[in-house]
Amino acid sequence: MTVVGGTPHRTPVPRRGGAVGQSVHDSLVVAWRNVIRMARIPEVVVFALIQPIMFVVLFSYVFGGSIAVGGSTKPSLYREFLMAGIFAQTVTFATAGAGAGIADDMHKGLIDRFRSLPMARGAVLTGRTLADLVQTALTLVVLAVVALIVGWRIHDGVPKALAGFVLLLLLGYAFSWIGALIGLSVRTPEAATSGGLIWLFPLTFISNAFVPSGNMPTVLRVIAEWNPFSSTVQAARELFGNLPAGYPVPSSWPMQHPVWASLIWSALIIAVFRWLSVRKYRSATG
């Protein structure tokens, strides 16, 4: 600190590697802070696992013998068909947690404290979404173990299966930016949780996650086939080798090219909602 004309003047802190390097550094610092916070509250992770495990058990054993997949009602076929949908639902439902966490930080004034530090403005949100991605990845690992126990298998090798999980995590990361925008737009964590879930139910159920989209009425079928959620589910099924013989693949472009459709949708959602979230953050803390 120096004195200029009798007035204290704080010497600017040198930025690491320019604006981009500073932003990356600050984002990782905030992400690590949130990961440590999650580790100190393990019940958050435990409760996040309960719902998807319940969905696996209920859909596998309650509906497994009554829903036809590829012309067959064998429960084992439906379990393999189902798991990509459960994985995708799990990563997207993390949106509510991301929104609630940011709303909680806003409510407690933590964001104002971050604002007083010499750090990149977007780093607070990027760090939070990266930390949520770590939690989602851990949840997917546990859920995959449960799926293997109930009979789910991969059939096209580990590299393709890993690619399928990468697409699922990318979708979850994209949706966490929607959660960030919701968290910045409401006043309480409770409102963020409700706002983060209410639109996810129609998105996930008007899709090919739990039933083949070809069984739906025309309007719902078109919505389901162009749903970004459906593209990732279809891509994961192909990469896991979980499409049964005789399963009719819809003729729409996203269903014919699900990997590309999933990548495009996720990149588009990240680009749009990150820009909106950072803009909202700046106006909320300005």
Side-chain angles (χ1 to χ4, degrees), residues 95-257:
T95 299
I102 291 174
D104 187 51
D105 287 344
M106 291 283 289
H107 184 68
K108 292 179 178 177
L110 184 63
I111 299 297
D112 291 331
R113 277 176 270 171
F114 281 138
R115 183 184 166 218
S116 67
L117 299 175
M119 62 187 300
R121 287 292 181 93
V124 175
L125 301 179
T126 303
R128 176 72 207 199
T129 55
L130 288 175
D132 289 328
L133 181 63
V134 172
Q135 179 178 335
T136 302
L138 293 175
T139 303
L140 272 185
V141 170
V142 176
L143 193 57
V145 172
V146 175
L148 290 170
I149 293 173
V150 301
W152 173 70
R153 297 292 183 271
I154 59 174
H155 300 286
D156 285 347
V158 173
K160 283 190 174 182
L162 291 176
F165 282 115
V166 169
L167 288 179
L168 289 165
L169 289 173
L170 184 61
L171 180 72
Y173 182 68
F175 274 53
S176 69
W177 281 105
I178 302 177
L181 182 61
I182 293 172
L184 291 167
S185 303
V186 298
R187 297 182 180 180
T188 64
E190 293 79 10
T193 301
S194 300
L197 288 174
I198 193 170
W199 60 276
L200 280 173
F201 280 101
L203 183 80
T204 55
F205 281 95
I206 305 177
S207 72
N208 62 355
F210 306 113
V211 296
S213 59
N215 297 340
M216 299 179 181
T218 302
V219 174
L220 292 181
R221 186 180 71 247
V222 173
I223 294 173
E225 290 174 1
W226 285 89
N227 183 343
F229 184 84
S230 295
S231 298
T232 301
V233 171
Q234 187 76 0
R237 283 191 183 124
E238 286 192 1
L239 293 169
F240 294 153
N242 289 160
L243 285 176
Y247 179 78
V249 178
S251 59
S252 60
W253 188 87
M255 296 296 100
Q256 291 291 323
H257 307 88

Side-chain angles (χ1 to χ4, degrees), residues 7-59:
T7 303
H9 176 73
R10 186 177 296 276
T11 303
V13 178
R15 302 180 76 84
R16 306 187 182 194
V20 175
Q22 179 74 14
S23 180
V24 171
H25 173 266
D26 294 344
S27 298
L28 292 177
V29 169
V30 175
W32 181 243
R33 171 255 177 192
N34 282 286
V35 169
I36 293 174
R37 183 184 179 186
M38 292 174 186
R40 291 175 178 172
I41 315 175
E43 57 266 27
V44 173
V45 179
V46 173
F47 290 149
L49 286 170
I50 292 175
Q51 178 175 295
I53 290 175
M54 287 175 59
F55 270 106
V56 170
V57 175
L58 290 174
F59 275 86

